């Protein structure tokens, strides 16, 4: 078996795969524009784009914050914090996202409502507020919480690996300069760790766009749910799911290209910083 060698030196290989995708996407776009049936399906399915984007952005933002906290707990000097973080990561990573979604929606949500009612009992008894019922807990927010919990475990490992990749000598030098732990993290550790963290973090973001389709099992009106409803009522399964796949491809590949561009600029800035101050920055 032989393998073709990649271009040597500074030669850049043309993204033929992207040209092929753009050609296919353009052809599909023209077909949607000129074909009444495809245009109708697209108009209906596209109504779920806003929900998909909202669920993805909110869940990923929350998961990133929680993941960073868990990663810092895992690197803490306190054994209880380290073990708690490891317990969370190992348990949550072992549960499929779909199972977690069902568990949060139908077990966790009722439990949270019951706890809220217990805490607010004095206000409820005095008539200040009504008792909370489970149906008041939106299915979309149950889905967001489930995605947040699931992805936080994976993002925590990304942050942990990125932070540990920072040269220990620089941290020791920062200690010698009298920087506090927070200052060391903000000024020394995080700016360098983000170069290691960003690529896998951006991959997780794209993956969440796809995994957000799982919220359709709860009836949340995202892209997939809109497609399911239309296909079930019209029996146009080929046309409907072709449009659903087309929209997801546009979202995920578009996001991937944007994130790769950001990653490329980050590498260029880091390279310029090293060239401007040789011997100060470690090699990338």
């Amino acid at each position: 078996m032989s393998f073709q060698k990649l271009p040597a030196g500074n030669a850049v290989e043309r993204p033929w795969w992207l040209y092929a995708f753009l050609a296919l996407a353009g052809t599909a776009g023209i077909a949607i524009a000129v074909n009444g049936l495809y245009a109708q399906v697209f108009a209906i399915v596209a109504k779920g784009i806003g929900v998909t984007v909202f669920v993805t952005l909110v869940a990923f933002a929350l998961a990133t914050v929680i993941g960073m906290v868990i990663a810092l707990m895992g690197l803490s000097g306190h054994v209880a914090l380290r073990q708690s973080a490891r317990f969370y990561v190992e348990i949550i990573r072992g549960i499929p996202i779909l199972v977690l979604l069902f568990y949060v929606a139908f077990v966790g949500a009722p439990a949270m409502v019951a706890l809220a009612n217990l805490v607010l009992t004095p206000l409820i008894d005095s008539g200040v507020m009504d008792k909370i019922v489970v149906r008041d807990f939106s299915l979309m927010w149950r889905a967001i919480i489930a995605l947040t919990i699931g992805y936080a475990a994976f993002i925590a490992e990304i942050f942990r690996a990125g932070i540990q990749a920072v040269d220990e000598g620089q941290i020791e030098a920062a200690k010698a300069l009298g920087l506090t732990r927070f200052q060391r993290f903000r000024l020394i550790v995080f700016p360098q760790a983000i170069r290691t963290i960003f690529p896998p973090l951006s991959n997780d973001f794209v993956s969440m766009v796809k995994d957000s389709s799982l919220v359709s099992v709860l009836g949340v009106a995202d892209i997939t749910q809109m497609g399911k409803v239309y296909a079930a009522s019209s029996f146009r399964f080929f046309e409907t799911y072709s449009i659903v796949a087309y929209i997801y491809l546009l979202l995920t590949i578009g996001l991937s290209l944007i994130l790769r561009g950001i990653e490329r600029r980050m590498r260029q800035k880091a390279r310029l910083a090293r060239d401007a101050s040789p011997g100060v920055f470690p090699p990338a």
Side-chain angles (χ1 to χ4, degrees):
M1 182 182 295
S2 61
F3 296 91
Q4 185 177 0
K5 293 183 179 180
L6 293 175
N10 294 324
V12 179
E13 184 177 2
R14 288 184 178 275
W16 296 110
W17 71 269
L18 180 57
Y19 299 154
F21 169 75
L22 291 175
L24 289 173
T27 303
I30 293 172
I32 291 170
V34 301
N35 187 298
L37 174 60
Y38 280 102
Q40 179 185 9
V41 176
F42 184 86
I44 292 173
V45 173
K47 292 178 182 178
I49 292 177
V51 173
T52 294
V53 171
F54 178 79
V55 168
T56 301
L57 291 178
V58 174
F60 192 79
L62 294 173
T64 300
V65 173
I66 295 173
M68 179 182 287
V69 171
I70 294 170
L72 294 176
M73 287 173 57
L75 297 172
S76 170
H78 299 281
V79 64
L81 292 178
R82 290 199 308 272
Q83 291 300 317
S84 297
R86 179 50 49 189
F87 178 83
Y88 178 89
V89 169
E90 296 299 336
I91 294 298
I92 297 300
R93 286 199 307 174
I95 303 174
I97 295 293
L98 183 59
V99 175
L100 191 61
L101 195 68
F102 283 131
Y103 194 87
V104 169
F106 302 119
V107 179
M112 284 187 278
V113 168
L115 179 61
N117 284 328
L118 180 63
V119 173
L120 299 172
T121 297
L123 296 177
I124 296 171
D125 291 342
S126 62
V128 175
M129 63 177 295
D130 295 329
K131 187 175 181 179
I132 304 172
V133 295
V134 176
R135 65 173 176 269
D136 292 333
F137 200 152
S138 144
L139 287 171
M140 183 171 69
W141 279 102
R142 299 186 204 188
I144 288 173
I145 291 172
L147 289 173
T148 298
I149 293 172
Y151 268 79
F154 294 95
I155 291 175
E157 287 296 275
I158 292 173
F159 275 109
R160 181 191 59 77
I163 292 171
Q164 288 183 323
V166 176
D167 183 24
E168 188 68 26
Q170 295 196 48
I171 300 175
E172 294 300 326
K175 289 180 182 179
L177 291 173
L179 297 181
T180 65
R181 187 165 188 170
F182 177 73
Q183 289 174 325
R184 293 197 300 270
F185 178 78
R186 183 172 64 87
L187 300 174
I188 306 298
V189 176
F190 189 76
Q192 295 183 60
I194 193 63
R195 295 185 317 203
T196 304
I197 291 168
F198 188 80
L201 194 63
S202 62
N203 287 338
D204 270 12
F205 182 57
V206 175
S207 294
M208 184 175 279
V209 174
K210 295 182 292 182
D211 281 348
S212 68
S213 63
L214 295 173
V215 306
S216 63
V217 301
L218 300 181
V220 178
D222 71 326
I223 295 170
T224 304
Q225 177 65 9
M226 297 302 293
K228 283 168 60 178
V229 171
Y230 182 82
S233 61
S234 66
F235 298 98
R236 296 283 186 176
F237 294 100
F238 174 78
E239 294 86 350
T240 302
Y241 288 110
S242 295
I243 294 295
V244 170
Y246 177 70
I247 293 175
Y248 275 113
L249 279 172
L250 290 179
L251 288 175
T252 55
I253 293 182
L255 276 173
S256 295
L257 293 174
I258 292 170
L259 293 170
R260 286 177 191 173
I262 295 172
E263 181 186 345
R264 194 178 304 113
R265 285 195 293 272
M266 289 174 62
R267 288 200 304 264
Q268 290 172 350
K269 287 182 180 180
R271 192 179 303 113
L272 290 173
R274 288 197 304 272
D275 293 342
S277 305
V280 176
F281 295 94

